Amino acid sequence: MRLTPRALCNAARAAWRESFPLGGRDVARWFPGHMAKGLKKMQSSLKLVDCIIEVHDARIPLSGRNPLFKETLGIKPHLLVLNKMDLADLKDQQKIIQHLEGQGLQNVIFTNCVKDKNIKQVIPAVTELVRSSYRYHRGENVELCIMVIGVPNVGKSSLINSLRRQHLRKGKATRVGGEPGVTRAVMSRIQVCERPLMFLLDTPGVLAPRIESVETGLKLALCGTVRDHLVGEETLADYLLYTLNRHQLFGYVQHYGLGGACDDVGSVLKHVAVRLGKTQKVKVLTGTGNVNVIQPNYTAAAHDFLRAFRSGLLGPVMLDRDVLQSAPP
Ligand SMILES: Nc1nc2c(ncn2[C@@H]2O[C@H](COP(=O)(O)OP(=O)(O)OP(=O)(O)O)[C@@H](O)[C@H]2O)c(=O)[nH]1
């Protein structure tokens, strides 16, 4: 169903929640604390490394990066790759870059590793960074070793595969997955380029042991950096609905054939469940005995809502819009 201009106007005028209830949520429990080991191993390989490529999700360019990366690995030349640009609303790209510059990040490239977009900029940028770094005092033909870091599921392995496709015409060298935590072996050294001879070290995704706020935790979870069930599919679906409405992104109305935009996650998920045939039989004990009733499967509906969002079917989004609207650092 196509949303008429009038319905869109009504939706835009509707009163959306001004804030998302964050109280009572224990963000520490969403992010498992097993990641310190990975970081230690990365630190021990640091002496072999000429430059660090930090991959992050372009939908959250200003939040959710692991501050421990800077503390533990920070002295090397650094390139920030903001990946999944196809899923991000980058209208305010210049503002994003300014914010990042304010945080001392001068070298930023936006990429799409599925379609190999902007991938050709990565190796020249890295080569230039290494050449201009104070440590560079070697001959021309020495190999470069780059460590790829980032929180889980942002596309570190995809970046390596994309670089190999572009520069070596080779296929996958490293496993890619839709779930966080696919790269488990701590380090694999993979060639990505012949001239200059360049190897990348793929690393497992490492989240900060303490996430700065519940809202950052929700954004990270929406981007798939933590398994959904740890936060709760329905909570995440509610945060997604809240965000889409506040940003006036009403693609979900059309996608699920809803009568109009709505800020009540229960109603939306009920409609989604019925539309997708995701219902379940539940036994209810009444005064006269057991009766079977058909109920919408809210978890399955939430799962589909999140999947649709993550595959870009609900349109591009900028989850850090609130940070961008605040004064630059
Ligand atoms: N839409 C889109 N999806 C991408 C892009 N890059 C990677 N993906 C998808 O994101 C998911 C995670 O990619 P990976 O390369 O496994 O991510 P990772 O950072 O290595 O993941 P971990 O090993 O869990 O840390 C996969 O489903 C990829 O297909 C991109 O630019 N755009």
Side-chain angles (χ1 to χ4, degrees):
M1 188 202 89
R2 199 159 266 286
L3 206 60
T4 62
R6 173 186 279 213
L8 269 174
C9 283
N10 288 341
R13 261 189 257 119
W16 310 119
R17 284 171 285 180
E18 285 295 319
S19 61
F20 189 76
L22 301 172
R25 301 178 199 276
D26 184 3
V27 71
R29 288 185 45 214
W30 302 346
F31 300 96
H34 59 71
M35 302 197 173
K37 209 166 120 204
L39 200 60
K40 270 214 172 107
K41 286 216 177 164
M42 283 152 72
Q43 201 176 11
S44 67
S45 309
L46 207 55
K47 53 182 175 303
L48 309 169
V49 169
D50 299 293
C51 177
I52 285 179
I53 299 182
E54 180 179 349
V55 185
H56 198 57
D57 195 307
R59 289 168 292 182
I60 41 170
L62 306 173
S63 63
R65 290 172 50 231
N66 185 345
L68 285 186
F69 288 146
K70 189 153 190 267
E71 270 171 49
T72 359
L73 314 167
I75 43 148
K76 299 281 171 174
H78 179 279
L79 173 70
L80 179 65
V81 167
L82 290 172
N83 187 39
K84 307 198 183 184
M85 66 182 291
D86 51 310
L87 303 178
D89 172 1
L90 295 176
K91 269 197 304 288
D92 289 325
Q93 189 163 344
Q94 275 318 311
K95 254 187 169 174
I96 296 171
I97 291 172
Q98 277 167 15
H99 262 256
L100 291 169
E101 278 174 355
Q103 295 170 13
L105 292 155
Q106 308 289 341
N107 311 297
V108 182
I109 298 178
F110 290 84
T111 59
N112 170 352
C113 288
V114 175
K115 295 265 165 75
D116 296 339
K117 191 150 181 233
N118 292 349
I119 296 301
K120 283 221 159 103
Q121 296 176 20
V122 173
I123 287 184
V126 165
T127 313
E128 187 45 39
L129 270 172
V130 176
R131 293 239 153 94
S132 54
S133 86
Y134 67 96
R135 285 185 67 250
Y136 193 77
H137 47 73
R138 303 179 304 182
E140 279 296 312
N141 296 323
V142 214
E143 65 184 51
L144 297 177
C145 182
I146 317 299
M147 189 185 273
V148 182
I149 62 171
V151 301
N153 215 35
V154 287
K156 298 177 292 300
S157 303
S158 300
L159 173 68
I160 294 177
N161 290 332
S162 176
L163 285 167
R164 282 171 62 85
R165 277 196 297 273
Q166 291 290 302
H167 295 278
L168 295 177
R169 310 232 165 265
K170 291 252 166 69
K172 272 186 196 162
T174 174
R175 242 182 94 204
V176 166
E179 295 262 290
V182 164
T183 311
R184 292 198 186 277
V186 169
M187 299 290 172
S188 29
R189 192 171 179 271
I190 301 152
Q191 187 184 349
V192 290
C193 189
E194 199 66 52
R195 273 166 197 235
L197 184 55
M198 191 179 287
F199 292 87
L200 297 197
L201 295 178
D202 195 9
T203 65
V206 181
L207 280 160
R210 282 194 54 226
I211 302 298
E212 62 200 66
S213 70
V214 179
E215 185 135 27
T216 299
L218 285 164
K219 290 179 187 177
L220 279 165
L222 261 192
C223 292
T225 65
V226 59
R227 288 181 192 259
D228 293 342
H229 68 90
L230 292 171
V231 180
E233 278 91 349
E234 288 163 52
T235 302
L236 263 183
D238 194 16
Y239 184 69
L240 173 59
L241 183 66
Y242 158 79
T243 306
L244 294 176
N245 284 335
R246 270 183 74 80
H247 294 197
Q248 304 203 350
L249 299 170
F250 302 118
Y252 70 93
V253 176
Q254 194 173 321
H255 183 76
Y256 289 115
L258 292 162
C262 168
D263 214 11
D264 175 46
V265 76
S267 312
V268 171
L269 293 182
K270 187 174 177 182
H271 179 98
V272 172
V274 172
R275 185 176 169 98
L276 302 178
K278 305 229 181 253
T279 50
Q280 55 194 357
K281 238 188 229 160
V282 182
K283 218 172 240 170
V284 177
L285 189 63
T286 68
T288 50
N290 286 344
V291 222
N292 283 330
V293 287
I294 305 286
Q295 276 191 353
N297 184 338
Y298 289 93
T299 310
H303 182 81
D304 194 87
F305 190 32
L306 292 167
R307 188 198 50 77
F309 164 70
R310 288 175 183 146
S311 7
L313 295 172
L314 309 182
V317 71
M318 175 43 58
L319 295 173
D320 275 341
R321 201 180 71 159
D322 52 341
V323 190
L324 262 181
Q325 283 169 348
S326 66

